[in-house]
Amino acid sequence: MPQHSGNIEKICILGGGTAGWMTAAALSHKLKGLPIRIELVESDEIGTVGVGEATLPLIRKFNEALKIDEATFMKATEATFKLGIEFCDWGKPGDHYIHPFGDYGQPINGIPFYQAWLRLRELGETARLDEWSYPILAAEQGRFQYPTTDYNTVESSFGWAYQFDASQYALFLRRYAQANGVTRTEGKVRQTFCHPETGFVESLKLDGEQTVTADLFVDCSGFRGVLIEQALETGYDDWSCWLPCNRAIAVPCESHGELTPFTRATARDGGWQWRIPLQHRVGNGHVYCSSFISDEQAADQLLSNLEGPTLASPRQLFFTTGRRRKFWNKNVVAIGLAAGFLEPLESTSIHLIQEGITELLQLFPDTSFQTSDADEYNQRMGLAFERVRDFLLLHYVANQRESGEFWLHFQNLKLPDSLDEKITAWMTRGHIIKYEFGAFLPPSWLAVLLGQNLVPRGYDPRVLAIPDATLIAHGRATRDAVAATVARTPDHGAFIRQIGAGSDRAPLVARMD
Ligand SMILES: Cc1cc2nc3c(=O)[nH]c(=O)nc-3n(C[C@H](O)[C@H](O)[C@H](O)COP(=O)(O)OP(=O)(O)OC[C@H]3O[C@@H](n4cnc5c(N)ncnc54)[C@H](O)[C@@H]3O)c2cc1C
């Protein structure tokens, strides 16, 4: 039963992790001028997950919308630029490829370049498609600059994201949100009170008898889902049958390697290991499935594959891959880990937080809480989660290993129909079905499909109408242009300093020289 129609006057955000403060920052900025109070409740005793350090390019839109200065934000969060993710040993041991945030080559007669490349291979071309990718070559050579807006040049063909200290990002946004009038209440929610008839959440009782009331509650309480699950019992779709990894061990270490403008994900026996280079340290973690490898083995593998001494004790995290059955239920909208979790293989969690906030603002309710708004929100967010799930699963199923129980398990997996259709279209025709909704565009799928050795049997027949000599000349000219442009691109560390985003901490400067 909906409540009476009226404007939302009070929002309570429960949780002060990345999700909570991103929500607080965005709502306080976008709802500025309206008579709406925003209160964020967080518990110091419980703390945050705080390990999300790698992002997707759309985070720039979030920061831009909040008018956050890039250099100031990068300095505050020890951020580096990210041009993509390097995957080591995924198709089979010894393989490596980069999933870049950008396209390959220049289209020819309106046909994507990779189709021409498939034809060029038949004509004897041996170069990998990567040679036509500016972000891949720049990443491999440790270089970075901003793209241009001249869409006829290779310098325009990419985007960038960041690798940053997530706890510092939350603090940065906390200062931002508080400056915009968000109030912060420290305390642990002991009890949630719901309306006896509608079931809508009415108030939260905190330690020390304090009570917090609101019209709209945004549940950013992490895996617990204090409101969406513990109070409203919304239910959770468990996706472990597809993505079985259920644990992670995270540890930062000293930076002794290069300040790479990319994240690395290396396949291991029962999962995979991440390396995320920040300005002052490297974030590392091992994501694994406890049915295939013990916690001790997982910790040993992680600690024996670090480039420098650890800077903190390893931290263990437990999770179940999946999504909340409803992200928006009654007057509660779950954002962040409270909404669901997909392993960080493609750095998607912060992106899904951003999606959740954007959709909430677009469908911002009044106190009648129309079911149609919630339904629309749930449909959009459900698709966003499913698209990410399929993309992550592709990395696992496209493996050609001959041993290893964990990896062989994926070779016989029954796939979701949406992914099955996508792989079939690719293998038969070299066609990448474009999803409506979803963070990953065709070049991302292309990177993983080819990077994991799924070469299609066919290609777009329209390339056969282009004379071979024209195709060959186009291929050579565009490849040379990429190589020449990358060669004049500045060093990644030097570029960070050049824009005034360099950390004040000493090791960084030495590291980036
Ligand atoms: C191993 C791992 C690696 C990850 N890597 C990445 C990555 O590289 N990129 C990426 O985008 N994402 C990554 N993520 C996800 C990312 O960490 C989260 O999406 C992000 O931190 C948001 O978390 P959150 O704010 O939803 O929850 P949390 O950080 O758990 O915050 C929950 C908040 O709720 C509060 N709270 C909980 N219960 C109560 C209560 N009863 N009373 C009062 N307050 C309460 C807590 O105090 C806290 O403030 C990773 C996650 C994991 C587990």
Side-chain angles (χ1 to χ4, degrees):
M1 186 171 54
Q3 306 201 336
H4 297 299
S5 172
N7 290 331
I8 298 281
E9 291 175 0
K10 169 86 187 289
I11 301 171
C12 169
I13 299 167
L14 176 60
T18 314
W21 285 114
M22 280 179 77
T23 306
L27 296 190
S28 64
H29 179 71
K30 293 288 175 186
L31 303 175
K32 206 181 261 175
L34 294 174
I36 301 179
R37 285 173 298 133
I38 304 175
E39 178 172 4
L40 184 144
V41 176
E42 66 176 318
S43 155
D44 289 343
E45 184 192 323
I46 294 174
T48 66
V49 164
V51 287
E53 301 191 318
T55 59
L56 292 179
L58 280 171
I59 193 169
R60 285 184 0 249
K61 291 256 173 285
F62 183 84
N63 287 350
E64 277 164 27
L66 269 55
K67 303 200 182 335
I68 289 172
D69 173 66
E70 185 181 63
T72 312
F73 141 77
M74 287 186 72
K75 202 169 176 155
T77 60
E78 307 276 357
T80 56
F81 288 106
K82 177 178 172 191
L83 287 167
I85 305 177
E86 180 185 44
F87 290 91
C88 299
D89 304 330
W90 279 79
K92 54 188 178 338
D95 283 357
H96 107 105
Y97 68 94
I98 289 182
H99 161 204
F101 297 146
D103 212 345
Y104 295 84
Q106 304 259 310
I108 179 162
N109 294 359
I111 306 167
F113 177 75
Y114 76 88
Q115 296 283 4
W117 176 80
L118 290 167
R119 168 69 183 143
L120 284 170
R121 277 164 47 98
E122 285 184 347
L123 298 173
E125 178 60 71
T126 53
R128 47 188 196 140
L129 184 62
D130 298 6
E131 300 289 325
W132 281 269
S133 163
Y134 174 86
I136 291 181
L137 294 196
E140 286 178 346
Q141 295 178 29
R143 298 170 186 268
F144 184 84
Q145 69 177 357
Y146 294 130
T148 63
T149 48
D150 177 354
Y151 297 113
N152 294 316
T153 64
V154 290
E155 294 105 308
S156 69
S157 64
F158 70 99
W160 75 96
Y162 311 101
Q163 302 160 131
F164 59 52
D165 183 329
S167 308
Q168 292 302 324
Y169 187 52
L171 263 180
F172 184 86
L173 293 178
R174 172 177 158 182
R175 285 194 292 272
Y176 178 102
Q178 288 183 305
N180 270 346
V182 173
T183 54
R184 172 183 181 268
T185 301
E186 201 285 315
K188 192 166 168 179
V189 174
R190 291 283 175 208
Q191 212 176 342
T192 305
F193 293 95
C194 298
H195 189 281
E197 285 165 35
T198 63
F200 277 48
V201 173
E202 290 189 320
S203 62
L204 313 178
K205 189 169 162 202
L206 312 187
D207 291 329
E209 303 305 305
Q210 191 177 351
T211 296
V212 177
T213 57
D215 303 309
L216 169 67
F217 289 83
V218 186
D219 188 351
C220 297
S221 64
F223 289 127
R224 285 175 177 76
V226 172
L227 306 180
I228 195 79
E229 197 57 56
Q230 292 178 0
L232 297 186
E233 298 180 348
T234 302
Y236 192 79
D237 284 337
D238 182 338
W239 286 345
S240 312
C241 57
W242 291 305
L243 294 167
C245 285
N246 56 359
R247 293 185 187 188
I249 302 177
V251 68
C253 77
E254 282 180 20
S255 176
H256 284 229
E258 291 168 41
L259 191 72
T260 53
F262 59 87
T263 295
R264 179 176 296 135
T266 305
R268 298 272 178 240
D269 298 343
W272 59 278
Q273 179 171 338
W274 80 72
R275 173 188 186 270
I276 302 180
L278 310 189
Q279 292 192 27
H280 62 311
R281 64 165 167 80
V282 173
N284 307 277
H286 189 172
V287 174
Y288 59 98
C289 175
S290 58
S291 309
F292 295 90
I293 181 175
S294 70
D295 295 337
E296 293 70 29
Q297 286 170 314
D300 285 350
Q301 281 190 16
L302 174 65
L303 295 173
S304 58
N305 283 293
L306 299 182
E307 67 193 51
T310 57
L311 294 169
S313 306
R315 187 160 164 223
Q316 183 149 35
L317 298 127
F318 303 85
F319 53 82
T320 304
T321 299
R323 51 158 284 194
R324 207 64 65 192
R325 290 221 171 99
K326 287 180 185 172
F327 304 95
W328 180 334
N329 190 3
K330 302 184 190 288
N331 62 338
V332 173
V333 177
I335 292 182
L337 299 174
F341 183 68
L342 293 163
E343 60 184 82
L345 186 57
E346 285 281 355
S347 324
T348 43
S349 287
I350 291 175
H351 170 76
L352 288 167
I353 292 172
Q354 187 180 338
E355 288 278 298
I357 297 168
T358 307
E359 298 296 351
L360 174 59
L361 279 163
Q362 276 183 16
L363 296 163
F364 197 74
D366 62 18
T367 54
S368 67
F369 285 98
Q370 295 299 313
T371 323
S372 53
D373 289 341
D375 289 348
E376 179 67 20
Y377 183 92
N378 288 329
Q379 200 215 346
R380 291 186 197 177
M381 288 308 295
L383 279 174
F385 267 75
E386 272 175 35
R387 303 313 193 206
V388 171
R389 176 201 66 197
D390 285 2
F391 191 53
L392 299 187
L393 186 50
L394 174 67
H395 298 65
Y396 286 103
V397 296
N399 86 76
Q400 302 87 40
R401 286 169 182 254
E402 289 169 1
S403 62
E405 223 188 317
F406 175 75
W407 293 98
L408 296 179
H409 155 85
F410 291 102
Q411 293 174 3
N412 300 311
L413 200 64
K414 165 96 178 73
L415 302 184
D417 291 344
S418 45
L419 178 58
D420 206 19
E421 283 161 18
K422 197 139 181 163
I423 294 178
T424 306
W426 167 254
M427 290 309 288
T428 50
R429 293 171 282 134
H431 179 59
I432 299 174
I433 298 171
K434 197 170 165 205
Y435 286 147
E436 184 196 2
F437 290 110
F440 298 102
L441 297 175
S444 294
W445 286 82
L446 180 62
V448 179
L449 289 160
L450 281 180
Q452 296 197 198
N453 312 310
L454 297 191
V455 180
R457 293 185 287 280
Y459 49 77
D460 189 330
R462 290 177 299 162
V463 290
L464 293 170
I466 303 170
D468 292 350
T470 308
L471 276 185
I472 291 168
H474 178 82
R476 276 205 193 119
T478 47
R479 186 170 61 166
D480 290 351
V482 171
T485 312
V486 171
R488 355 178 248 275
T489 300
D491 170 74
H492 176 212
F495 190 81
I496 292 175
R497 281 202 303 276
Q498 188 190 316
I499 61 161
S503 161
D504 297 328
R505 300 194 198 193
L508 153 79
V509 179
R511 194 60 46 216
M512 292 198 306
D513 281 334

